[in-house]
């Protein structure tokens, strides 16, 4: 976005996350990337709007990439960029974009250096230098094999700590809006008893959202209420009304949640 045409102050930037892998869908592996991608995006002022999980299938990956890219500012993928034959994310995304797959010269050089003392660069390891034509690289300080940026698409590793390092390398490089702030108040009350009150509190503070998360503990029902806003003043005002209202109804609000 140029300085002559800045984004509106209330512009909401969105991203989608495509989680790729048969091992996720089979239950053998539990995904840990959704939470860290969502948290990182929020710090960049970008909302994670949707998440899709697909198998290692050229057709399914390509279909998801086309759909998710079309309705979000950014698309992140995790998984399927390793050295084995079933790591097909690069091929599927390249096919969806209508470009060939090529060996990125800088990626090859990075891998050659990394594997110089680890048995050398064989054909399997060289697969990790393959990118859609025209792509840029995302630094990977852990294992050498880089992530890939293709326009608004970011192709990350599936291993959570490696994906996290790739996100770190991207920090403060994407255009986004204001980070979403949040505060929590908990209460031993059934959310159904105060649903109307919460709706009124949210309506009284445009720009704030209240999420209700019920639980059952110690033989009692309760809920944590998470108030979100990009504006600190609106957040604090909405929180104050919720806390005051709960107390006025005879409940005992707990800041930071139960």
């Amino acid at each position: 976005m140029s300085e002559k045409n800045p984004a509106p102050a209330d512009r909401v930037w969105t991203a989608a996350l495509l989680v790729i892998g048969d091992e996720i869908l089979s239950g053998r592996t539990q995904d840990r990337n959704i939470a860290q991608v969502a948290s990182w995006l929020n710090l960049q002022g970008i909302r994670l709007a949707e998440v899709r999980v697909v198998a290692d299938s050229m057709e399914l990956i390509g279909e998801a990439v086309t759909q998710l890219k079309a309705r979000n500012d950014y698309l992140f993928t995790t998984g399927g960029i390793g050295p084995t034959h079933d790591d097909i994310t690069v091929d599927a995304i390249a096919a969806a974009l209508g470009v060939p797959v090529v060996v990125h010269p800088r990626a090859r050089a990075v891998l050659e250096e990394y594997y110089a003392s680890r048995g050398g660069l064989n054909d399997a390891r060289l697969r990790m230098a393959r990118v859609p034509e025209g792509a840029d690289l995302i630094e990977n300080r852990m294992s050498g094999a880089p992530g890939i940026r293709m326009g608004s698409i970011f192709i990350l590793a599936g291993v959570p700590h490696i994906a996290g390092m790739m996100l770190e390398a991207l920090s403060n490089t994407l255009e986004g809006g204001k980070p979403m702030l949040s505060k929590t108040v908990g209460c031993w009350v059934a959310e159904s008893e105060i649903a109307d009150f919460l709706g009124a509190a949210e309506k009284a503070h445009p720009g704030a959202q209240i999420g209700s998360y019920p639980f059952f503990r110690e033989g009692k029902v309760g809920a944590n209420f998470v108030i979100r806003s990009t504006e600190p003043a609106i957040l604090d005002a909405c929180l104050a009304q919720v806390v005051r209202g709960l107390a006025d109804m005879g409940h005992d609000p707990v800041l930071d949640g139960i």
Side-chain angles (χ1 to χ4, degrees), residues 102-118 120-122 125-131 137 140 143-146:
V102 299
V103 173
H104 195 291
R106 187 160 65 86
R108 179 176 186 139
V110 168
L111 290 168
E112 283 180 341
E113 180 179 358
Y114 181 82
Y115 285 110
S117 61
R118 296 174 173 86
L121 187 62
N122 56 31
R125 290 167 172 172
L126 185 60
R127 283 180 57 83
M128 294 185 289
R130 299 166 71 251
V131 303
L137 302 182
N140 171 12
S143 64

Side-chain angles (χ1 to χ4, degrees), residues 11 14 22 25-26 33 62 69 84 101 119 124 131 134 137 152 160 187 193 207 218 226 243 255:
R11 164 82 150 90
T14 67
D22 293 338
L25 290 167
S26 70
N33 283 316
K69 177 179 182 295
T84 60
V101 174
V131 303
L137 302 182
S152 63
C187 193
E193 292 183 24
E218 303 172 20
V226 180
V243 170
L255 290 175

Side-chain angles (χ1 to χ4, degrees), residues 224-249:
N224 284 311
F225 309 110
V226 180
I227 304 165
R228 300 181 177 90
S229 178
T230 58
E231 301 297 333
I234 294 175
L235 178 67
D236 290 341
C238 188
L239 174 67
Q241 180 172 336
V242 170
V243 170
R244 183 172 58 251
L246 289 171
D248 289 345
M249 288 184 281

Side-chain angles (χ1 to χ4, degrees), residues 158-176:
V159 179
H161 66 275
I162 297 179
M165 288 187 175
M166 292 178 177
L167 290 172
E168 184 180 319
L170 289 169
S171 291
N172 303 315
T173 66
L174 306 186
E175 192 167 11

Side-chain angles (χ1 to χ4, degrees), residues 13-211:
W13 299 80
T14 67
L17 173 61
L18 179 59
V19 180
I20 301 166
D22 293 338
E23 70 279 5
I24 302 294
L25 290 167
S26 70
R28 290 192 302 272
T29 300
Q30 292 187 344
D31 179 82
R32 290 191 287 136
N33 283 316
I34 295 175
Q36 75 165 342
V37 170
S39 297
W40 179 85
L41 284 170
N42 185 57
L43 292 175
Q44 314 307 309
I46 301 166
R47 310 288 180 269
L48 181 58
E50 53 188 317
V51 178
R52 190 179 301 187
V53 184
V54 299
D56 295 304
S57 158
M58 290 281 292
E59 180 180 359
L60 291 175
I61 296 171
E63 178 184 89
V65 165
T66 300
Q67 293 175 353
L68 297 175
K69 177 179 182 295
R71 58 179 180 244
N72 291 281
D73 297 296
Y74 303 107
L75 170 60
F76 289 77
T77 75
T78 59
I81 59 172
T84 60
H85 70 283
D86 59 343
D87 289 312
I88 59 172
T89 296
V90 168
D91 301 83
I93 292 177
L97 298 177
V99 299
V101 174
V102 299
V103 173
H104 195 291
R106 187 160 65 86
R108 179 176 186 139
V110 168
L111 290 168
E112 283 180 341
E113 180 179 358
Y114 181 82
Y115 285 110
S117 61
R118 296 174 173 86
L121 187 62
N122 56 31
D123 288 343
R125 290 167 172 172
L126 185 60
R127 283 180 57 83
M128 294 185 289
R130 299 166 71 251
V131 303
E133 188 175 53
D136 296 315
L137 302 182
I138 304 170
E139 181 187 5
N140 171 12
R141 293 183 286 105
M142 173 61 66
S143 64
I148 302 163
R149 176 174 185 171
M150 187 67 178
S152 63
I153 301 176
F154 300 83
I155 307 170
L156 310 179
V159 179
H161 66 275
I162 297 179
M165 288 187 175
M166 292 178 177
L167 290 172
E168 184 180 319
L170 289 169
S171 291
N172 303 315
T173 66
L174 306 186
E175 192 167 11
K178 296 179 179 179
M180 183 67 77
L181 309 173
S182 68
K183 291 187 177 180
T184 302
V185 56
C187 193
W188 291 103
V189 60
E191 60 175 350
S192 59
E193 292 183 24
I194 60 169
D196 291 342
F197 161 71
L198 293 175
E202 184 176 273
K203 186 176 181 180
H205 297 87
Q209 303 166 353
I210 303 176

